[in-house]
Amino acid sequence: MSFLSVFKKKKMTASDNRAPSYSSGAGKGKSGLADTRAAIDELSKVVKDTPEAVEIYLALGNLYRSQGEIERAAQIRNSLIVRPGLAPAIKARALYELGRDFSRGGFLDRAVSAFEKAREIVGDSPEILTELAELAAGGREFEKAAAYYSKLNQPVQEAHYLARLAEDYNSEGEYALANRTLRKAIDVSESSVESWLLVLTRMKQEGALDKFKKKFNIALAKVPKHLRFVLIEGVLAESLVFGETPLQKKEPDNDRSYPFYEVMVEEISQADPDVIMQYYGARLLQLCGKQEEAGVWLEKTLMLNQNFWLARLELFNLAQDQQQLTSSFKNQLDFFVNVAKKVQRFTCSSCGLKRDRIFFNCPRCRSWHSISFRKELNQ
Ligand SMILES: [Zn+2]
């Protein structure tokens, strides 16, 4: 049972965490702060034994926090925490909110210490472990974050942070350690798209074509159907899947990549027909310079979904090369094609965020694996 359930109203709103659009508090002067302190002190004496009153009192702290007034919010928690004879559950709750205040204010060490103190009282509550996991992840302590998610029994998140740990090992040249960590990630969650992606990227870098083909086949079977395109998008981007490197590389692909693209096309053609994979097959063929074959794949894509705008755009591009166009007409056309190409191809199925880079954890709503490919423009 959640330790927050000792209070009637346990639901916290996302707006608690959101940054305020303006900053207040700073301009109110020292006497204002002293008055608040005195009022907070009086209130804390009155409310300390009544859970309902404590709830309202802590909500006041949350209100300050949401306004960016971290100091006042923390005062509210501290004034409760120091009361002698305070019920342990209430103390834990105040410490938990104090941890969230510090976390929100960027005082990460103090946040961890408050959460750990709350944990000493109520044990491994999911709310506290989640906060600690997010703090560890934010501080790039991926091993620690994975361990917290393991305690929380959230394998998707655990595997994600193991994959990121493996990526760190790779960049340090610790390849054996990286491989072991990736194997562990796949053991934890065999559908972990980010782990498979790192396995494939590594094999492509090593030039291990046969191994790559086998693993790509397995990955296609294990990764959820709606996320399979992430594997191809990621392989095309070549690693740094978690970094800030733009995914659409400017320079043309080299000859070394073509055999890998060809075996991917082979595997895709043997899997269930799927409009997005069909489109990616065409894209891989285009990269290998096989324009005619790509055209056939694009036609098939449109047969599966006639509103699939990107397939239409690529077919239009292919057809354009065969037309005699005046330079002015071609200029106008290029303009529209370029605008269309800038449309962001991915969206978060939870909150609708649109992006042109793959993501595993939505940067806006924090949903996991909610990325989807925009098959139609109104998506
Ligand atoms: Zn989202």
Side-chain angles (χ1 to χ4, degrees), residues 161-181:
Y161 288 108
L162 286 173
R164 299 198 62 173
L165 179 65
E167 200 198 28
D168 278 358
Y169 285 144
N170 260 336
S171 63
E172 290 157 14
E174 300 270 9
Y175 301 123
L177 208 49
N179 286 343
R180 220 177 308 142
T181 308

Side-chain angles (χ1 to χ4, degrees), residues 208-249:
L209 187 62
D210 288 346
K211 276 196 205 164
F212 178 93
K213 187 175 181 330
K214 265 183 218 149
K215 291 288 179 191
F216 185 64
N217 179 292
I218 301 172
L220 284 184
K222 302 285 185 197
V223 168
K225 221 174 164 187
H226 70 282
L227 289 176
R228 292 189 303 188
F229 74 91
V230 173
L231 291 172
I232 304 175
E233 194 64 44
V235 167
L236 288 176
E238 290 221 15
S239 195
L240 293 168
V241 286
F242 308 113
E244 284 304 311
T245 307
L247 287 181
Q248 295 261 287
K249 289 202 303 177

Side-chain angles (χ1 to χ4, degrees), residues 348-353 359 362-367 370:
C348 167
S349 54
S350 296
C351 74
L353 174 80
F359 56 88
C362 173
R364 186 159 74 193
C365 74
R366 316 308 300 168
S367 297
S370 58

